[in-house]
Amino acid sequence: FFFFLRRRALLAMAVIAGDDLQRFPVDVDGHYGIFALNAVRTIQCVDESKTKFVKWTTADHRADLAGQNRTVSGLRILPNLIPTSTHMFRIYGWTVVLVVSERLREAMERAGCEGAVFREV
C-alpha cells in the first residue's frame, strides 16, 4: 500500500502528516529522489448508514476473506471519529482507501503531486 513521490511533495506532506507516514527512498526506473510512502494509521470511521458494502462469503474464490469488505461504494465517513491532528489514514477494515485532510490535499497539489485522485468522503 505504498505510493511514490518526489522529494518536494514528500517534504510538503511530511510537514503536515508527520508520524502518520512511513517514508522509504527508492529507485524507480533510474529516477532518483523518489520516495515510497505508507500511511500507518487506520481509523474506524465509516458511516455505515450511507455507505454500500459487499462482503466476501465462503462461496467466493477467497473464502479466507469471508465477512470482510469485498467492495465498498459511496464511501462516507464520520468526521467526528477522526482526531483533529490526523491528516492521512486508511479506513479500518478496508485499507485500500487512503484518506487525506483538505489541508494535506492542498499541500500535495501545491507541491505538484501527480497521479492522485481526490474524492470527497
Side-chain angles (χ1 to χ4, degrees), residues 14 16-23 38 40-41:
I16 296 169
D19 291 337
D20 290 342
L21 294 178
Q22 287 179 319
R23 312 157 202 36
N38 181 39
V40 296
R41 186 183 287 202

PDB file of all heavy atoms in Angstrom, residues 14 16-23 38 40-41:
ATOM      1  N   ALA A  14       5.079  15.559   4.655  1.00  0.00           N
ATOM      2  CA  ALA A  14       5.650  15.174   5.947  1.00  0.00           C
ATOM      3  C   ALA A  14       5.466  16.271   6.991  1.00  0.00           C
ATOM      4  O   ALA A  14       5.246  15.977   8.165  1.00  0.00           O
ATOM      5  CB  ALA A  14       7.121  14.821   5.785  1.00  0.00           C
ATOM      6  N   ILE A  16       2.998  18.194   7.340  1.00  0.00           N
ATOM      7  CA  ILE A  16       1.615  18.169   7.821  1.00  0.00           C
ATOM      8  C   ILE A  16       1.260  16.823   8.453  1.00  0.00           C
ATOM      9  O   ILE A  16       0.709  16.767   9.544  1.00  0.00           O
ATOM     10  CB  ILE A  16       0.638  18.493   6.667  1.00  0.00           C
ATOM     11  CG1 ILE A  16       0.889  19.928   6.191  1.00  0.00           C
ATOM     12  CG2 ILE A  16      -0.811  18.310   7.105  1.00  0.00           C
ATOM     13  CD1 ILE A  16       0.193  20.293   4.926  1.00  0.00           C
ATOM     14  N   ALA A  17       1.562  15.732   7.769  1.00  0.00           N
ATOM     15  CA  ALA A  17       1.115  14.409   8.215  1.00  0.00           C
ATOM     16  C   ALA A  17       2.012  13.787   9.281  1.00  0.00           C
ATOM     17  O   ALA A  17       1.576  12.897  10.016  1.00  0.00           O
ATOM     18  CB  ALA A  17       0.992  13.472   7.021  1.00  0.00           C
ATOM     19  N   GLY A  18       3.262  14.202   9.363  1.00  0.00           N
ATOM     20  CA  GLY A  18       4.166  13.756  10.416  1.00  0.00           C
ATOM     21  C   GLY A  18       4.274  12.254  10.581  1.00  0.00           C
ATOM     22  O   GLY A  18       4.574  11.531   9.644  1.00  0.00           O
ATOM     23  N   ASP A  19       4.005  11.774  11.791  1.00  0.00           N
ATOM     24  CA  ASP A  19       4.180  10.360  12.122  1.00  0.00           C
ATOM     25  C   ASP A  19       3.140   9.430  11.488  1.00  0.00           C
ATOM     26  O   ASP A  19       3.229   8.223  11.648  1.00  0.00           O
ATOM     27  CB  ASP A  19       4.163  10.171  13.641  1.00  0.00           C
ATOM     28  CG  ASP A  19       5.385  10.776  14.308  1.00  0.00           C
ATOM     29  OD1 ASP A  19       6.410  10.943  13.619  1.00  0.00           O
ATOM     30  OD2 ASP A  19       5.309  11.074  15.516  1.00  0.00           O
ATOM     31  N   ASP A  20       2.150   9.985  10.813  1.00  0.00           N
ATOM     32  CA  ASP A  20       1.169   9.141  10.120  1.00  0.00           C
ATOM     33  C   ASP A  20       1.754   8.525   8.855  1.00  0.00           C
ATOM     34  O   ASP A  20       1.108   7.713   8.211  1.00  0.00           O
ATOM     35  CB  ASP A  20      -0.080   9.948   9.751  1.00  0.00           C
ATOM     36  CG  ASP A  20      -0.908  10.319  10.976  1.00  0.00           C
ATOM     37  OD1 ASP A  20      -0.726   9.682  12.032  1.00  0.00           O
ATOM     38  OD2 ASP A  20      -1.740  11.231  10.873  1.00  0.00           O
ATOM     39  N   LEU A  21       2.978   8.936   8.496  1.00  0.00           N
ATOM     40  CA  LEU A  21       3.623   8.448   7.276  1.00  0.00           C
ATOM     41  C   LEU A  21       4.912   7.698   7.573  1.00  0.00           C
ATOM     42  O   LEU A  21       5.701   8.128   8.401  1.00  0.00           O
ATOM     43  CB  LEU A  21       4.020   9.625   6.370  1.00  0.00           C
ATOM     44  CG  LEU A  21       2.932  10.459   5.765  1.00  0.00           C
ATOM     45  CD1 LEU A  21       3.559  11.586   4.965  1.00  0.00           C
ATOM     46  CD2 LEU A  21       2.050   9.626   4.885  1.00  0.00           C
ATOM     47  N   GLN A  22       5.125   6.614   6.854  1.00  0.00           N
ATOM     48  CA  GLN A  22       6.440   5.983   6.781  1.00  0.00           C
ATOM     49  C   GLN A  22       7.020   6.405   5.438  1.00  0.00           C
ATOM     50  O   GLN A  22       6.307   6.454   4.449  1.00  0.00           O
ATOM     51  CB  GLN A  22       6.323   4.457   6.802  1.00  0.00           C
ATOM     52  CG  GLN A  22       5.967   3.866   8.128  1.00  0.00           C
ATOM     53  CD  GLN A  22       5.849   2.357   8.025  1.00  0.00           C
ATOM     54  OE1 GLN A  22       5.312   1.829   7.058  1.00  0.00           O
ATOM     55  NE2 GLN A  22       6.361   1.659   9.020  1.00  0.00           N
ATOM     56  N   ARG A  23       8.319   6.701   5.412  1.00  0.00           N
ATOM     57  CA  ARG A  23       8.972   7.159   4.185  1.00  0.00           C
ATOM     58  C   ARG A  23      10.146   6.247   3.868  1.00  0.00           C
ATOM     59  O   ARG A  23      10.955   5.944   4.734  1.00  0.00           O
ATOM     60  CB  ARG A  23       9.483   8.572   4.357  1.00  0.00           C
ATOM     61  CG  ARG A  23       8.486   9.556   4.950  1.00  0.00           C
ATOM     62  CD  ARG A  23       9.253  10.686   5.566  1.00  0.00           C
ATOM     63  NE  ARG A  23       8.805  11.561   6.559  1.00  0.00           N
ATOM     64  CZ  ARG A  23       8.026  11.368   7.609  1.00  0.00           C
ATOM     65  NH1 ARG A  23       7.495  10.229   7.834  1.00  0.00           N
ATOM     66  NH2 ARG A  23       7.746  12.312   8.465  1.00  0.00           N
ATOM     67  N   ASN A  38       3.937   5.189   3.079  1.00  0.00           N
ATOM     68  CA  ASN A  38       2.925   4.292   3.593  1.00  0.00           C
ATOM     69  C   ASN A  38       2.195   4.997   4.725  1.00  0.00           C
ATOM     70  O   ASN A  38       2.821   5.502   5.656  1.00  0.00           O
ATOM     71  CB  ASN A  38       3.578   3.000   4.113  1.00  0.00           C
ATOM     72  CG  ASN A  38       2.551   2.030   4.622  1.00  0.00           C
ATOM     73  OD1 ASN A  38       1.483   1.878   4.058  1.00  0.00           O
ATOM     74  ND2 ASN A  38       2.878   1.352   5.709  1.00  0.00           N
ATOM     75  N   VAL A  40       0.340   4.808   7.988  1.00  0.00           N
ATOM     76  CA  VAL A  40       0.379   3.790   9.030  1.00  0.00           C
ATOM     77  C   VAL A  40      -0.844   3.775   9.939  1.00  0.00           C
ATOM     78  O   VAL A  40      -1.093   2.785  10.620  1.00  0.00           O
ATOM     79  CB  VAL A  40       1.651   3.919   9.897  1.00  0.00           C
ATOM     80  CG1 VAL A  40       2.885   3.671   9.055  1.00  0.00           C
ATOM     81  CG2 VAL A  40       1.731   5.278  10.565  1.00  0.00           C
ATOM     82  N   ARG A  41      -1.626   4.833   9.941  1.00  0.00           N
ATOM     83  CA  ARG A  41      -2.783   4.911  10.836  1.00  0.00           C
ATOM     84  C   ARG A  41      -4.033   4.372  10.142  1.00  0.00           C
ATOM     85  O   ARG A  41      -4.266   4.646   8.977  1.00  0.00           O
ATOM     86  CB  ARG A  41      -3.018   6.359  11.256  1.00  0.00           C
ATOM     87  CG  ARG A  41      -4.105   6.508  12.305  1.00  0.00           C
ATOM     88  CD  ARG A  41      -4.372   7.943  12.644  1.00  0.00           C
ATOM     89  NE  ARG A  41      -3.296   8.496  13.444  1.00  0.00           N
ATOM     90  CZ  ARG A  41      -3.442   9.556  14.232  1.00  0.00           C
ATOM     91  NH1 ARG A  41      -4.589  10.180  14.333  1.00  0.00           N
ATOM     92  NH2 ARG A  41      -2.423  10.011  14.921  1.00  0.00           N
TER      93      ARG A  41
END
